[in-house]
Amino acid sequence: MREEELLLRLREAFQVEAGERLSSIFANLDSYGKTAAGAAERKPLIEVLFREAHSLKGAARAVKLTPVESLCQVLETLFSQLKAHNPPPQPVLLDLLYGAAEMLEKLIADPALVTQESGRGEFSSLLARLLKVEENGLDNFLAVPESAAGTGPSEPQPDSENHVSSSPSLPAEAGTGALPAEAAEPSRSVVSPTPAAGAETLRVATRKVDELMLVAEEFISLKLALSQHLALLRKTLADFPVWEKQWGMVRGDVLQMRRSFSGSEKWSRIIGFLENNQQQVKQLERRLGELEGRVESDLRTQSGLVDELLDRVRDVAMLPIETLFMPMARMVRELARELGKKVDFEWQGGAIEVDRRVLDEMKDPLMHLLRNAVDHGLEVPQIRIAAGKDQSGRILCRAAQSDGSSIDITIEDDGHGIDTDKLKQKAVALSLVSRAAADAMSDESLLDMIFNSGFSTSPIITEISGRGLGMAIVREKIENLGGRIAVSTWAGAGTRFAVHLPVSVAVCRGIRVVVAGREFVFPSLKVERVLRAEKRRLLLVEGRMTVDNEGRVLPVIALTALLGLKAPVANPSRKQNEISLVIVGAGNRSLALMVDEVLGEQEILVKGLGRQLMRVPLIAGATILGSGKVVPIINVNDILESSLGQRPGHLFSAQETGASFPDGTASENEKVHQLLVVDDSITSRMLLQNILEAADYRVTTAVDGLAALSLLQKETFDLVVSDVEMPHMDGFLLTEKMRADERLAEIPVVLVTSLGDRQDRERGVAAGASAYIVKSEFDQNNLLDVVGRLL
């Protein structure tokens, strides 16, 4: 191999090693800068820093990177002096050491930097300062005032209290933050150097690991294929008892034919052939039974081997999550210094291992959440002190194993929290919701608005924030990984973002469904529930078909309409009054999708669609079944985005659902009940009207009690549903007037109101109401049940 080629390969390996050693240097500098660290705690940190500088110097010499070698040589000497004297951290010293580490990072990324005028000047100036400190001694340098030590007032100064640590030892003060006060799992505060290559360690390019992972994951298809073969065998064996039963029904006739045609050679051959066939079929059944046992045994063995192989290969591709947290410490420190804030950054659970591909995709979302915490969440020291808090804000990143296949990451700060009133004003200003709708929204729904594209409460646009794109991208990236994110906040105490993620991205479980004769797969992580419901459970609410799912009213949409497929052919094996629903969700959004059939859940291998089909609407990828069939994987995020914003005209028709829509006519033997709905709110009035009309009632509306009483005098109604608080005449007075009128006295009155106190209920009973439903407890099925009973 030529010398140039060898040097190129050595420098490729050096890039990986240098990156690891630099991460260790930054992390241990962060821990050293922690003011709470005593002499005993500082000693191992300085020892690691010394060894890292020494090892990096030798590696740089081997690949002929003289500037890196020279800088490491001086750093090694300084760390040696630190070991001897073990002084407490001081801002001027930390600034110098961080500056040297950052210059190393630049030189390693671009060795030609020192040949450029700007880079050469910066490098020479820093090296001269370091050599001067080395020559005069560290003690003399620390004894000189900061301005005289070479750090002018224009240079930003790190504060020893603005430190970053991986130790969670600082408890939150009671009532001053959203962070938990209990003791937490300690994380490594000393980052050990990378072990030398030897019998225990082998350095492998990540590209090779990725290729090995892809090959190993292909074995899942073989396992699924064998499982499919076993299912086919069992299905075939299930036909033999049917054949045996049919043979038993004609066997007596065959024996009778043998006796009747005993003298006929032709019939003897036919009967002999039938009896011989019966023996061969029995023999075939025995052989297939043996084959079933062998295939089942092979499947168990292969499944175990494939699962073990995947686990072993996945372990190779796993990295501790602290490799994601550690680089963020430096970013938090620099941003806090830029904004004039003091921050204690801590992490927990750094040893938990996650697929490197997940960590790569989570880098940008985590960085954005932390930048938001520093910029928007934490206050400047003066404001924190005035609020009775410690002048240093706290940010905690915590990882915890949720189960064997997923993890939870929380990012918490003890800042001022998110102002929901500002969110409400911004949502109205952007015309995302009306003022009335915003006032009615829960805090949970308001907080979910921050994930909308273009939504930002920052008064100005800066390079850090204000564009309103970041949080939308954060949720998109997390959901594309098959995860979810939620936010909680406490006024004056802080904010918490909770992220739930899969440990690995390629292999997951999926729900197989049939739509218009074609198979599709839903990722199981996105499916909240699968159910088969009677069509009568579907109700029309505000122009949309809905279904009640354990107290939550969800919109229902036919997947055929979303995918642009033809309506399914009726399935004769399924009850015609039933439908299959897959309830999917992400964040606070949920939706019920109507499918033709749910086939079941199984392990799936997610495959991309290639560059030509990089972004197919509503499709996230594909998987290959054991039969070799390629099945598309539904992109639930796309489904939610497109469907929840649709107008009623895009939803499926009554004919598709089998729901009943009144057309003003009725059969001769069926009476259509006339109902009067009274409410001064147009929204409530329309909601009640749609619920009742979807249940085949004919509904007339009135805006208040006075208008209702006028209608009752002119027309005939079977029941009245009325609000209580209305202008001109409230619901109580309307009920009293009806009970005082002989013609109207027997008409049932259902009061639907927000007044839920005991005295209000008693007043409703005293007025003569037939039923009293509180809106906070409102359930459309309960309303229909009450109306049905009264009629």
Side-chain angles (χ1 to χ4, degrees):
M1 181 182 295
R2 292 185 303 173
E3 185 177 347
E4 294 83 359
E5 293 179 358
L6 176 60
L7 182 60
L8 185 62
R9 293 188 62 176
L10 286 174
R11 285 193 174 179
E12 288 179 356
F14 172 76
Q15 289 280 344
V16 178
E17 179 186 355
E20 294 172 351
R21 297 199 182 281
L22 272 175
S23 294
S24 176
I25 288 173
F26 277 117
N28 284 283
L29 278 176
D30 290 337
S31 297
Y32 173 70
K34 193 175 191 304
T35 55
E41 294 173 285
R42 292 196 298 266
K43 186 175 180 180
L45 297 173
I46 298 171
E47 179 64 34
V48 172
L49 289 168
F50 172 78
R51 291 202 310 268
E52 293 288 37
H54 175 77
S55 299
L56 190 56
K57 179 188 72 174
R61 182 188 301 124
V63 295
K64 300 180 179 180
L65 291 178
T66 305
V68 176
E69 180 188 355
S70 301
L71 198 53
C72 286
Q73 174 70 54
V74 183
L75 275 176
E76 184 182 0
T77 303
L78 287 180
F79 288 140
S80 177
Q81 294 180 20
L82 277 175
K83 285 173 59 179
H85 302 285
N86 196 4
Q90 296 184 27
V92 63
L93 176 61
L94 286 172
D95 187 42
L96 184 63
L97 295 177
Y98 273 123
E102 289 166 0
M103 176 55 71
L104 280 175
E105 188 175 48
K106 293 177 182 178
L107 290 172
I108 291 167
D110 182 12
L113 181 67
V114 291
T115 65
Q116 303 165 11
E117 185 174 349
S118 60
R120 184 170 59 250
E122 184 182 0
F123 172 75
S124 300
S125 174
L126 176 63
L127 187 60
R129 286 181 59 201
L130 290 168
L131 287 170
K132 186 176 180 180
V133 174
E134 178 186 358
E135 180 182 350
N136 295 333
L138 191 60
D139 287 341
N140 292 329
F141 171 73
L142 294 176
V144 177
E146 293 185 23
S147 59
T151 55
S154 61
E155 294 189 39
Q157 299 296 316
D159 194 312
S160 61
E161 292 183 80
N162 180 22
H163 59 270
V164 188
S165 168
S166 61
S167 171
S169 58
L170 294 179
E173 295 182 16
T176 63
L179 305 183
E182 66 270 19
E185 168 209 348
S187 300
R188 291 189 302 173
S189 57
V190 179
V191 182
S192 301
T194 306
E200 295 292 329
T201 306
L202 177 65
R203 193 182 297 278
V204 181
T206 55
R207 172 182 55 81
K208 294 183 178 180
V209 175
D210 290 342
E211 290 172 353
L212 181 62
M213 175 67 81
L214 289 174
V215 172
E217 287 169 345
E218 292 294 340
F219 280 95
I220 293 178
S221 298
L222 296 178
K223 185 176 76 170
L224 294 175
L226 196 57
S227 177
Q228 186 112 358
H229 298 333
L230 180 60
L232 183 60
L233 265 174
R234 287 173 173 168
K235 184 177 180 181
T236 303
L237 283 168
D239 292 336
F240 281 96
V242 178
W243 178 89
E244 184 72 28
K245 182 178 180 180
Q246 292 174 344
W247 170 253
M249 294 171 62
V250 300
R251 189 163 181 269
D253 295 334
V254 172
L255 293 175
Q256 180 62 36
M257 289 173 62
R258 175 179 287 280
R259 289 192 293 269
S260 301
F261 299 101
S262 57
S264 171
E265 182 179 350
K266 174 182 177 181
W267 282 105
S268 294
R269 286 200 307 272
I270 293 174
I271 294 168
F273 174 77
L274 290 174
E275 292 177 334
N276 186 48
N277 259 8
Q278 190 262 349
Q279 295 298 323
Q280 289 180 347
V281 170
K282 293 292 290 181
Q283 187 177 10
L284 178 61
E285 183 181 12
R286 283 194 299 272
R287 289 177 179 175
L288 287 177
E290 293 174 2
L291 182 59
E292 178 198 18
R294 293 176 183 176
V295 171
E296 186 175 12
S297 175
D298 289 347
L299 177 60
R300 281 197 302 268
T301 302
Q302 190 189 79
S303 295
L305 291 173
V306 169
D307 292 343
E308 184 177 2
L309 174 63
L310 277 172
D311 288 341
R312 297 289 178 88
V313 175
R314 200 174 287 130
D315 284 344
V316 174
M318 296 288 231
L319 290 174
I321 201 167
E322 68 181 5
T323 59
L324 179 64
F325 291 160
M326 283 167 54
M328 301 299 167
R330 177 183 166 202
M331 183 269 294
V332 168
R333 174 181 59 82
E334 292 176 347
L335 183 59
R337 184 169 60 181
E338 178 184 339
L339 296 173
K341 299 181 178 181
K342 298 184 178 183
V343 181
D344 292 331
F345 175 61
E346 306 164 7
W347 74 74
Q348 299 172 6
I352 295 175
E353 294 191 332
V354 183
D355 191 327
R356 182 180 59 81
R357 293 168 291 186
V358 175
L359 295 181
D360 288 346
E361 290 297 318
M362 273 302 296
K363 181 179 178 180
D364 288 343
L366 181 61
M367 182 178 295
H368 188 86
L369 291 172
L370 289 174
R371 288 169 72 91
N372 270 3
V374 178
D375 186 22
H376 296 308
L378 298 180
E379 312 93 331
V380 294
Q382 300 91 320
I383 294 179
R384 291 184 62 85
I385 293 172
K389 299 182 180 181
D390 188 87
Q391 64 175 339
S392 294
R394 299 181 65 230
I395 298 177
L396 170 65
C397 278
R398 176 168 46 204
Q401 196 84 42
S402 176
D403 51 48
S405 61
S406 58
I407 59 167
D408 292 318
I409 301 175
T410 56
I411 300 94
E412 309 176 22
D413 68 70
D414 67 344
H416 53 68
I418 300 175
D419 190 334
T420 53
D421 288 335
K422 281 188 178 179
L423 294 181
K424 190 182 301 183
Q425 294 169 11
K426 190 67 175 180
V428 174
L430 293 174
S431 300
L432 297 176
V433 293
S434 66
R435 168 57 66 181
D439 290 338
M441 289 175 71
S442 64
D443 285 348
E444 183 182 17
S445 299
L446 282 170
L447 288 171
D448 193 57
M449 301 286 286
I450 67 174
F451 297 107
N452 286 359
S453 180
F455 192 95
S456 175
T457 57
S458 178
I460 59 172
I461 295 177
T462 69
E463 62 180 13
I464 298 174
S465 61
R467 292 170 175 81
L469 298 174
M471 294 306 296
I473 295 174
V474 166
R475 181 161 72 176
E476 181 181 0
K477 280 184 171 288
I478 291 172
E479 290 182 347
N480 285 342
L481 284 170
R484 59 181 181 271
I485 182 171
V487 57
S488 305
T489 192
W490 298 267
T495 301
R496 176 188 298 137
F497 287 92
V499 179
H500 183 78
L501 288 170
V503 171
S504 183
V505 293
V507 180
C508 63
R509 298 194 66 79
I511 308 291
R512 291 170 56 199
V513 301
V514 176
V515 180
R518 305 181 190 184
E519 281 194 43
F520 294 88
V521 172
F522 285 95
S524 294
L525 283 172
K526 297 288 187 179
V527 177
E528 297 178 1
R529 187 183 179 192
V530 175
L531 60 91
R532 178 167 289 179
E534 294 183 359
K535 290 181 180 178
R536 65 181 179 84
R537 286 184 58 183
L538 297 181
L539 297 173
L540 188 66
V541 178
E542 296 183 347
R544 290 191 134 184
M545 291 307 302
T546 65
V547 66
D548 186 319
N549 177 42
E550 297 179 341
R552 295 174 61 200
V553 178
L554 302 179
V556 177
I557 297 181
L559 194 53
T560 49
L562 289 173
L563 298 175
L565 302 175
K566 292 184 178 180
V569 178
N571 185 353
S573 64
R574 192 178 68 185
K575 296 180 180 179
Q576 294 305 302
N577 65 335
E578 287 186 342
I579 55 172
S580 295
L581 297 174
V582 178
I583 298 176
V584 298
N588 295 325
R589 303 165 298 169
S590 295
L591 177 70
L593 294 169
M594 187 173 71
V595 300
D596 300 343
E597 187 178 359
V598 178
L599 300 177
E601 184 182 23
Q602 70 174 53
E603 192 175 42
I604 61 171
L605 177 62
V606 180
K607 293 286 189 180
L609 300 177
R611 292 184 179 179
Q612 296 84 354
L613 299 173
M614 188 66 71
R615 193 70 178 91
V616 178
L618 308 185
I619 302 298
T623 187
I624 302 176
L625 301 181
S627 61
K629 184 178 181 180
V630 178
V631 177
I633 299 173
I634 295 293
N635 188 325
V636 173
N637 298 330
D638 278 4
I639 292 283
L640 291 168
E641 291 292 338
S642 62
S643 59
L644 293 182
Q646 283 187 339
R647 304 302 305 162
H650 294 125
L651 306 182
F652 58 90
S653 65
Q655 288 72 25
E656 288 179 281
T657 65
S660 300
F661 288 83
D663 56 2
T665 61
S667 64
E668 293 181 359
N669 298 323
E670 183 182 5
K671 178 184 176 183
V672 177
H673 291 286
Q674 305 285 337
L675 273 57
L676 176 61
V677 170
V678 190
D679 201 308
D680 62 321
S681 166
I682 185 172
T683 303
S684 298
R685 200 162 61 240
M686 289 179 61
L687 175 63
L688 292 169
Q689 180 180 7
N690 287 332
I691 291 173
L692 294 168
E693 285 183 344
D696 287 339
Y697 296 113
R698 185 172 294 168
V699 178
T700 303
T701 61
V703 297
D704 56 37
L706 196 60
L709 197 59
S710 177
L711 283 170
L712 285 165
Q713 299 293 344
K714 299 174 185 177
E715 301 179 32
T716 301
F717 294 96
D718 299 302
L719 182 140
V720 174
V721 178
S722 176
D723 185 21
V724 171
E725 297 178 296
M726 296 180 292
H728 307 304
M729 182 184 291
D730 63 23
F732 291 140
L733 184 55
L734 171 63
T735 307
E736 292 172 357
K737 294 280 188 184
M738 289 178 63
R739 294 297 175 252
D741 189 318
E742 185 177 347
R743 195 176 68 85
L744 307 176
E746 299 301 321
I747 299 176
V749 177
V750 178
L751 294 179
V752 181
T753 176
S754 59
L755 301 176
D757 293 341
R758 181 176 58 83
Q759 55 266 35
D760 294 318
R761 295 175 185 269
E762 291 175 352
R763 186 179 174 189
V765 172
S770 308
Y772 194 97
I773 300 177
V774 181
K775 286 183 179 179
S776 61
E777 304 168 355
F778 179 74
D779 177 272
Q780 60 187 24
N781 290 327
N782 182 33
L783 172 65
L784 294 175
D785 181 59
V786 169
V787 171
R789 290 173 181 270
L790 294 174
L791 291 174

